[in-house]
Amino acid sequence: MLTEDDVDEIAFRAAADGDHRGAAATLETLAESSDTHGETVTRASLLVDAGSQYGLAQDWDEAVRCYRAAVADSSDCPVDPRVWLHDGLLRQGKAEQAAALRAELKAARLTDPAVYEAVAESLEAVELLQDAHVWFTMGYHRCENAPVPDFLLDLLLVGRRRVRIALGHPADALDEVAEDYMETVGG
């Protein structure tokens, strides 16, 4: 069975030698070998990892293809693969498809901070700062009473603060929480 360490090793080699397409192909091959899948390494997670490698190679068409396959597969994945599909669509310039996917994610009312952080950071990366602000804030409020580690909530607030600074908004009470967290961790 494949472990997360095995998958990480493929990504580390690609980072060292720059062969992200080769890593993506390897991960796609592994995704099709169901006998190597386990509880934490699934077909969907391998397809997301393959899409990530294609993204690092700036091949967003291939990345989106992998992300769509991961969504369709519906096996367990550490973070909902729709967030990575959303990112790929934004980077392809398919804003309407990305917006439809955001609406779907918003309607799901998920309580996983990683979903909100990934969507917000994708929006921030393409300079949709007001939308990023909404997703960081919404994520915090939807997850603040969920059974999640506090630092994940703090990370949402740190992202929110960063975007608010870029937008020129004055600090508010949640920004102060973010600033306290950054001081605590030395950021």
Side-chain angles (χ1 to χ4, degrees), residues 4-170:
E4 290 178 21
D5 288 341
D6 297 326
V7 175
D8 288 345
E9 181 59 33
I10 294 166
F12 293 147
R13 277 195 310 255
D17 66 18
D19 186 14
H20 297 292
R21 287 180 195 284
T26 298
L27 291 162
E28 281 193 89
T29 299
L30 291 170
E32 299 311 316
S33 299
S34 60
D35 59 323
T36 64
H37 303 170
E39 282 186 39
T40 58
V41 178
T42 64
R43 182 172 186 270
S45 71
L46 288 164
L47 288 166
V48 165
D49 290 331
S52 176
Q53 290 297 315
Y54 281 124
L56 290 168
Q58 299 298 306
D59 189 342
W60 294 106
D61 291 339
E62 287 298 301
V64 165
R65 180 184 58 75
C66 288
Y67 297 146
R68 285 188 193 283
V71 170
D73 181 75
S74 74
S75 58
D76 285 340
C77 209
V79 178
D80 189 321
R82 294 177 295 178
V83 301
W84 311 124
L85 176 57
H86 170 264
D87 181 67
L89 291 169
L90 281 177
R91 291 172 192 271
Q92 279 184 316
K94 296 182 178 176
E96 287 181 21
Q97 288 181 43
L101 197 49
R102 271 195 315 281
E104 183 181 311
L105 287 163
K106 182 178 179 182
R109 301 193 61 83
L110 302 168
T111 56
D112 179 358
V115 167
Y116 297 95
E117 182 177 22
V119 170
E121 287 180 351
S122 294
L123 291 163
E124 184 181 6
V126 296
E127 298 183 21
L128 295 172
L129 298 182
Q130 189 58 48
D131 291 330
H133 178 261
V134 166
W135 275 81
F136 278 125
T137 305
M138 178 174 44
Y140 175 78
H141 288 301
R142 285 189 175 177
C143 300
E144 67 183 323
N145 295 315
V148 298
D150 287 343
F151 81 91
L152 294 176
L153 297 173
D154 291 331
L155 292 176
L156 285 169
L157 294 180
V158 168
R160 178 183 181 271
R161 180 65 186 135
R162 183 179 60 242
V163 168
R164 288 174 57 80
I165 289 170
L167 288 168
H169 295 329

